[in-house]
Amino acid sequence: MDYLQIQGVQSLKGTIKISGAKNASLPLIAMTILAKNRVTIKNLPHVVDINTLLKLLSNLGAECHFQEDAIEVDTTTLSQTKATYDIVKTMRASILVLGPILARFGHCEVSLPGGCAIGQRPINLHLKALEQMGAKIDIRSGYIEATAPNGLHGCEIIFDKITVTGTANIVMAAALAKGTTTIINAAREPEVVQLCEILNKSGVCIEGIGTAVLHITGTDGELLAIEEFSVIPDRIEAGTYLCAGAITNSELTLTDVNAAHLGSVIAKLEEMGCSFSITEDSITIHPASELQPVSIITQEYPAFPTDMQAQFLALATQANGVSIIEERLFENRFMHVSELQRMGADISLNGNVATVKGKTKLGGTDVMATDLRASSALVLAALVADGETDIHRIYHLDRGYDALEKKLEGVGANIIRLKE
Ligand code: EPU
C-alpha cells in the first residue's frame, strides 16, 4: 500500500493546473449508456473512481479506449444489465448506471451500495422517483432489481432532500422516457448542470437548467447522438489547492479553473483574510497576513460544499481564534478530526458541529486517511506541521485527486509517495 511522506513548514510558490471534475465525469460517463454513437469525453481526471466506472461499463460490454486525458466510450455493444457487488462496493457512484440502463433496456440490476465512511447515504429517493416513472423495484439478495416493461414515463417528482446523484440518475432516466418529467427540488451543482447541458445538446429538451425545477422531455426510447465534449474543472480540487495557499501563507495560481463555481469557498477564504486575482480561467490566491477564524455551514450548491469541510477544518487550526464548522449533509463526516487532534489540533466535536481553536502548532506524525476529502485535510495539515507526517491509506485520496503529490511538489512542497 502507498503512503505519503510530507516534510512540513514550507512555503509554496507557482502554478497548479486543475484537472477535470471527478463528480462531473462520473455521471457523464454513465450518460454514454444513452448514446447511439461512440462518445469522446475530454479532460477526464486520472483518478481511480473513473477507472472503476469504466471497468463497470466494460464488464457490461462497453468498449472504452483511452487517449491521454480523453476517452472514447462505445456503449452500442452493451449486452449486460447487472452492476455486480464487487464493483459497486468500491464506489457508491456506481448507482449512476441504474437510471440510464433501465431507461435503455427496460431492466437493470445494481448491487445495493451499503454504508460508507461519511454516513449512511441511502438511495431511497432515486428508487422512489423511478417507481413514479413506472418502474417496478424489488430489493432481493442485496440487489436492486428494476424493471420497466412498458418503458418509463414522465411525471412530477418532488425530492424530499436535494440529492446530486439522485438528480443525475433521474435526469438520465427521463432523457429516454415518454413525455415530460418535472423534478422539483433538483440539485443545482455545476456537475448536474453540465450533464443537463450535454443532454440538451443531444436531443433531450431540458428546461430550468441550473435551477431547482427541471423539466425534461424524453425521446421515448430513441437513443441520443452525443458529440465530443470536455469535462468542467474540478472545483473541489481547486478549493483544496486554494486552502494549500492559505494554510502555508503562499501565493499560488490555479489555471484551467472556473472561479464562478467556487463562490462560497472564495467568500470564506476572503473572510479569513485572503484575497484573490481572478481571470476567466485562473485564480491567484494572495495569503492573509494573519488568518481569521470563520463560521461555516455545509449545504447544497451554491452554499458551502461538504466536500470542502475537512480542508477548512484543517485551515481553521491555523486561524487566530475560534472557528465553528457545522456539517449538515453527512452525519459521520468528521473522521479526520481525531487524526488532526493527533497532530495537535484543538478541536471539540458536539454532534455535527466542530469548534476549532487556533492557532495551534501542529506536529508531524503518522496519520490515517479515512475518506477522500479527509485525506486532503491531512495533507494540508502536514504542509504546516513541524517535522515529518506519514499519511497512510491514501487509496482514498487516489479515488479523487489527480496526481496530488506531483502538483504539490511542482509548487515546492516536500512530498513523496512511498510503499508501506
Ligand atoms: N440522501 C437521501 N436519500 C437519497 C439520496 C440522498 O437521504 O436517496 C441524502 C444523503 O444521505 C445526504 C444528502 O441526501 O444526506 C445529500 O446526498 P447526495 O445524494 O446529494 O450525495 P451523493 O450524490 O451521494 C454527491 C457527491 C459527493 C458529495 C455529495 C454532496 C458524487 C459522485 N458524489 O454524493 O462527493 O459529497 O454529492 O455534495 O457526485 C466526494 O467527492 O468526496 C463526495 C463524497
Side-chain angles (χ1 to χ4, degrees):
M1 233 189 283
D2 291 358
Y3 67 101
L4 287 178
Q5 190 166 78
I6 298 175
Q7 309 293 337
V9 197
Q10 313 159 20
S11 171
L12 310 177
K13 192 170 176 53
T15 299
I16 297 178
K17 182 178 183 299
I18 299 305
S19 299
K22 166 184 83 85
N23 288 348
S25 304
L26 293 169
L28 291 168
I29 291 171
M31 177 195 71
T32 64
I33 295 168
L34 305 173
K36 61 179 161 201
N37 58 310
R38 289 167 178 234
V39 182
T40 302
I41 308 179
K42 292 164 81 176
N43 199 34
L44 277 179
H46 296 274
V47 298
V48 170
D49 274 8
I50 302 296
N51 297 341
T52 305
L53 186 57
L54 292 171
K55 184 167 170 220
L56 196 167
L57 286 192
S58 300
N59 287 353
L60 299 176
E63 287 176 12
C64 309
H65 301 287
F66 275 102
Q67 315 138 342
E68 293 275 312
D69 66 349
I71 187 153
E72 195 180 69
V73 186
D74 184 357
T75 60
T76 59
T77 50
L78 217 70
S79 52
Q80 305 290 318
T81 56
K82 182 170 179 174
T84 49
Y85 177 68
D86 53 333
I87 293 209
V88 179
K89 73 167 194 251
T90 66
M91 189 183 68
R92 298 182 56 80
S94 307
I95 192 69
L96 282 165
V97 302
L98 178 61
I101 295 183
L102 182 63
R104 177 167 155 190
F105 294 99
H107 54 90
C108 180
E109 279 178 74
V110 180
S111 170
L112 278 170
C116 109
I118 63 174
Q120 284 190 3
R121 303 182 74 183
I123 48 154
N124 57 315
L125 301 175
H126 304 227
L127 302 185
K128 184 178 166 204
L130 289 172
E131 279 178 334
Q132 284 180 266
M133 296 177 77
K136 184 171 171 302
I137 309 265
D138 290 305
I139 308 289
R140 225 175 263 140
S141 309
Y143 276 80
I144 304 155
E145 294 180 8
T147 50
N150 302 318
L152 296 171
H153 57 76
C155 63
E156 182 177 282
I157 289 159
I158 305 177
F159 278 133
D160 290 346
K161 262 186 172 182
I162 298 174
T163 161
V164 175
T165 50
T167 303
N169 232 339
I170 300 312
V171 165
M172 290 188 281
L176 295 197
K178 190 182 175 73
T180 300
T181 303
T182 297
I183 305 179
I184 296 172
N185 209 21
R188 290 178 286 161
E189 270 66 5
E191 296 77 17
V192 174
V193 169
Q194 183 173 32
L195 173 72
C196 291
E197 281 171 348
I198 307 277
L199 286 170
N200 208 29
K201 274 194 204 146
S202 312
V204 182
C205 175
I206 306 186
E207 287 170 20
I209 296 178
T211 76
V213 181
L214 295 171
H215 302 281
I216 307 121
T217 303
T219 62
D220 195 8
E222 192 184 327
L223 294 178
L224 312 177
I226 301 176
E227 287 177 11
E228 175 181 306
F229 62 87
S230 244
V231 176
I232 56 169
D234 196 314
R235 64 193 165 100
I236 305 301
E237 186 199 23
T240 304
Y241 292 127
L242 292 179
C243 287
I247 203 167
T248 59
N249 202 29
S250 308
E251 185 167 298
L252 283 181
T253 296
L254 311 185
T255 63
D256 298 72
V257 64
N258 186 346
H261 295 165
L262 280 153
S264 59
V265 170
I266 288 174
K268 285 295 160 192
L269 287 168
E270 280 174 342
E271 272 179 51
M272 296 181 86
C274 302
S275 58
F276 295 88
S277 307
I278 293 175
T279 71
E280 204 184 319
D281 62 354
S282 79
I283 307 175
T284 299
I285 177 165
H286 311 290
S289 49
E290 185 180 84
L291 277 173
Q292 301 303 312
V294 72
S295 280
I296 287 175
I297 297 175
T298 67
Q299 275 169 302
E300 298 84 2
Y301 189 86
F304 189 89
T306 173
D307 290 345
M308 286 300 303
Q309 177 257 105
Q311 300 88 319
F312 268 75
L313 217 143
L315 186 56
T317 68
Q318 300 308 300
N320 277 297
V322 179
S323 297
I324 310 282
I325 300 185
E326 184 176 338
E327 172 57 55
R328 291 252 180 109
L329 272 95
F330 295 113
E331 66 276 11
N332 201 23
R333 206 171 199 178
F334 275 125
M335 306 273 275
H336 40 285
V337 166
S338 48
E339 297 304 295
L340 290 170
Q341 284 167 335
R342 295 189 56 254
M343 296 178 77
D346 184 347
I347 306 171
S348 54
L349 258 187
N350 186 0
N352 64 337
V353 179
T355 303
V356 189
K357 289 194 187 132
K359 172 180 184 175
T360 40
K361 208 170 167 52
L362 300 179
T365 183
D366 285 280
V367 287
M368 199 174 74
T370 48
D371 76 69
L372 171 57
R373 308 304 170 186
S375 319
S376 61
L378 298 178
V379 170
L380 294 174
L383 289 173
V384 288
D386 251 344
E388 187 173 285
T389 304
D390 287 344
I391 306 176
H392 303 274
R393 300 206 181 169
I394 55 161
Y395 54 85
H396 289 292
L397 194 92
D398 294 335
R399 291 184 55 174
Y401 284 93
D402 187 349
L404 174 126
E405 72 272 18
K406 292 203 181 77
K407 291 189 185 191
L408 282 176
E409 197 187 13
V411 291
N414 191 337
I415 174 169
I416 49 169
R417 179 181 286 258
L418 297 165
K419 295 247 177 255
E420 302 275 4

